Amino acid sequence: MGADRYGAGGLDLARQAGVEAFTVPFADYGDRGDWNAALIERLDAYRPDLVVSAGFMRILGAEVLERHTVVNIHPALLPAFPGAHAVRDALAYGVAITGATVHFADSGVDTGPVIDQVAVRVDPRDDTASLHERIKSVERRMLVEVVGRLAREGWSVQGRQVRLGGSGTRQTPSTEYVAEENR
């Protein structure tokens, strides 16, 4: 488990679970290129098949993305509302439905090929905090399921189409976590 700042909540959780954790603080490096190089060095030591970005609010450089396949979670139905303020932006726009997207990271901001999405209905009483909490409850389950499927079944990407498994056909994602959230 890696983080870009000391004190990230996931670091303690990882250590408690016996998972090795590391930190590459952005503030410790003179520029983004130096930080990306340090991050690559740490990631390379683990030789991961996938790097999963959850709550990691840094744009990864092209050199990181060229060496590692990165999966990201985002609290909106991309391509709508990319960036750091997706939940606030969705509420300000007045949408009735938003959600969560798991996608492969590319050099843009939340522009990579979509792996899976789940809709979350906006309640008229929602504020940014309450809606974000409901989206995060979907994101957590969704990310575990999607990463598990990627690990078990493999994937291919053709253009913007992500296909899970060896058959080349997109399987219907589980809707168990969708129904519970949207009651």
Side-chain angles (χ1 to χ4, degrees):
M1 197 311 245
D4 66 333
R5 60 184 172 80
Y6 297 111
L11 293 169
D12 287 336
L13 292 173
R15 289 183 183 116
Q16 290 169 11
V19 174
E20 189 175 335
F22 67 87
T23 306
V24 181
F26 187 79
D28 287 359
Y29 295 88
D31 65 30
R32 185 170 295 279
D34 291 342
W35 177 77
N36 278 303
L39 182 61
I40 288 170
E41 185 177 319
R42 293 307 299 264
L43 291 172
D44 283 355
Y46 292 95
R47 298 178 29 216
D49 293 322
L50 285 174
V51 174
V52 179
S53 174
F56 194 80
M57 300 299 288
R58 297 269 177 218
I59 295 173
L60 300 174
E63 57 274 23
V64 174
L65 298 171
E66 288 167 4
R67 285 182 78 95
H68 297 282
T69 301
V70 179
V71 174
N72 188 44
I73 187 106
H74 183 74
L77 296 175
L78 293 173
F81 311 113
H85 304 289
V87 177
R88 179 196 70 193
D89 295 346
L91 280 172
Y93 197 82
V95 298
I97 295 173
T98 187
T101 301
V102 177
H103 65 98
F104 286 115
D106 65 7
S107 61
V109 176
D110 298 320
T111 58
V114 170
I115 302 167
D116 198 5
Q117 294 181 303
V118 173
V120 174
R121 185 163 296 283
V122 177
D123 185 296
R125 298 168 299 212
D126 273 329
D127 60 17
T128 301
S130 65
L131 180 57
H132 202 186
E133 280 305 311
R134 289 191 307 107
I135 292 170
K136 284 193 285 188
S137 72
V138 169
E139 283 181 325
R140 290 178 190 113
R141 292 183 301 251
M142 179 182 177
L143 187 60
V144 168
E145 181 174 311
V146 168
V147 170
R149 288 189 66 203
L150 290 167
R152 286 187 308 273
E153 301 170 22
W155 70 89
S156 64
V157 180
Q158 295 180 332
R160 295 202 51 79
Q161 285 285 19
V162 176
R163 300 207 186 284
L164 299 179
S167 66
T169 59
R170 185 153 198 235
Q171 297 178 8
T172 304
S174 167
T175 57
E176 181 178 320
Y177 50 88
V178 177
E180 179 183 315
E181 179 56 37
N182 289 313
R183 286 184 215 183

